[in-house]
């Protein structure tokens, strides 16, 4: 399959779901070659709640609404005071304020609580604000900026795979792409300190290559660029790292196996598992020539591009891998289980953990690309008990699970018994 899928499908709740472009992800693109795979990365979708167009529905009369707002004012005495006075006249409560100096101007970023129906854009314009941008906020935005940044730094320090997610939470709705050093694009032109070009930030990745951050709906400020660069520098100083805990799973026929995080240090063991897998199993997972499977393991195991779980026997042999892959602004899940260990519920246990990790990371949905004949993967997705959307074309099936119904528990309990699937 060489093209993206887009169509109107029916949800499990009985209504049409107008799907945006769903990229055929890492698994389905292997046969096209590594550089072709990168060249087909999809663009970011427009913000879901950007109020540049029609405003969202107002709250009921008498209620208040939370808003995030940015506006540009002259960097001169009294400019900010005039803006705050105008807002106060409309009974708008300023909860937080950050300033982003731009030389002769300043970008002021507010978190506001305003009476329902307040025309904030007009008020800001009367006070001299220009290039105003407003979007809905929620209670999660009430955390002050230093606390949020320290929390993101702590998450990044514990797990290298957190860097793309931390950058997205630091900078708001944006698309993060990690491009390898040998991939397409002008990587050599990115200076060591990175570059800022209006709505695009480019930074040198700690392991080589380039991290690109795009936010078409709102230009980045030098302050945001400095914050992103500091977070990437922290990641580089800490080096490779990932949590080392593991879960023990008890198989139906007896005996235990473990599930743990994996990275590029497991490359040799993963290749050995490939050698024990049948050609059919490799084709069902990688959708291309069997000989190509090993070529992508180093990328798939890299924490920079997502998270990998490995199923390991008591002797240390890897018999299954599950990948949660940051695919631009989408999230893909993919599984492979060695033939001798299939039909023991291992795939379902892996998938449940990957989906829990995606929900914890704030992903709205995950998708799996497989073949229509892969009944095991379809059954595992259905076993999640989540709303699913299906798209099929030329034998390739894309199953998307919505994560708004994922239980609050982040992962199965230690020593959980698994059933057959």
């Amino acid at each position: 399959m060489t093209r993206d899928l887009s169509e109107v499908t029916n949800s499990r709740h009985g209504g049409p779901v107008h799907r945006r472009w769903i990229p055929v992800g890492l698994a389905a693109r292997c046969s096209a070659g590594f550089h072709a795979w990168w060249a087909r990365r999809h663009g970011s979708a427009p913000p879901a709640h950007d109020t540049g167009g029609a405003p969202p529905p107002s709250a009921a009369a008498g209620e208040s609404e939370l808003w995030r707002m940015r506006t540009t004012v002259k960097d001169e005495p009294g400019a900010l005071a005039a803006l705050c006075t105008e807002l106060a006249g409309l009974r708008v409560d300023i909860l937080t304020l950050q300033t982003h100096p731009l030389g002769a101007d300043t970008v002021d970023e507010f978190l506001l609580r305003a009476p329902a129906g307040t025309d904030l854009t007009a008020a800001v314009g009367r006070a001299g604000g220009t290039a105003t941008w407003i979007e809905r906020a929620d209670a999660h935005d009430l955390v002050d900026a230093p606390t949020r940044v320290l929390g993101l730094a702590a998450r990044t320090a514990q797990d290298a795979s957190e860097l793309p997610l931390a950058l997205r939470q630091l900078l708001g709705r944006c698309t993060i792409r990690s491009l390898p050093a040998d991939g397409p694009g002008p990587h050599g032109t990115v200076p060591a300190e990175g570059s800022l070009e209006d709505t695009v930030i480019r930074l040198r990745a700690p392991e080589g290559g380039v991290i690109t951050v795009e936010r078409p709906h709102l230009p980045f400020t030098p302050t945001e660029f400095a914050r992103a660069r500091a977070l990437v520098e922290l990641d580089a100083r800490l080096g490779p790292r990932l949590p080392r805990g593991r879960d023990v799973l008890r198989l139906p026929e007896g005996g235990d196996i473990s599930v743990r995080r994996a990275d590029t240090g497991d490359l040799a063991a993963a290749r050995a598992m490939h050698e024990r897998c049948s050609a059919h199993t490799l084709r069902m997972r990688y959708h291309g020539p069997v000989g190509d499977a090993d070529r992508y393991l180093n990328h798939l195991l890299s924490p920079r591009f997502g998270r990998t779980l490995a199923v390991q026997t008591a002797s240390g042999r890897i018999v299954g891998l599950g990948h949660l892959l940051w695919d631009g602004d989408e999230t893909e899940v993919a599984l492979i289980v060695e033939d001798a260990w299939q039909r023991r519920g291992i795939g379902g246990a892996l998938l449940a953990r990957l989906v829990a990790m995606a929900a914890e990371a704030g992903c709205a949905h995950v998708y799996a690309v497989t073949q229509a004949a892969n009944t095991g993967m379809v059954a595992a997705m259905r076993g999640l008990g989540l709303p699913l959307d299906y798209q099929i074309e030329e034998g390739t099936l894309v199953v998307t699970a919505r994560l708004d119904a994922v239980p609050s528990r982040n992962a199965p309990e230690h020593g959980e018994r698994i059933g057959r699937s």
Side-chain angles (χ1 to χ4, degrees), residues 58-59 63 65 67 114-120:
S58 299
E63 294 185 0
E65 302 166 322
W67 297 93
T118 302
D119 190 344
L120 293 171

Side-chain angles (χ1 to χ4, degrees), residues 170 203 224-237:
L170 177 68
L203 298 167
E224 290 177 306
F225 173 66
R227 292 171 180 172
R229 186 172 61 188
L231 197 59
V232 173
E233 288 176 355
L234 171 65
D235 182 87
R237 288 179 178 272

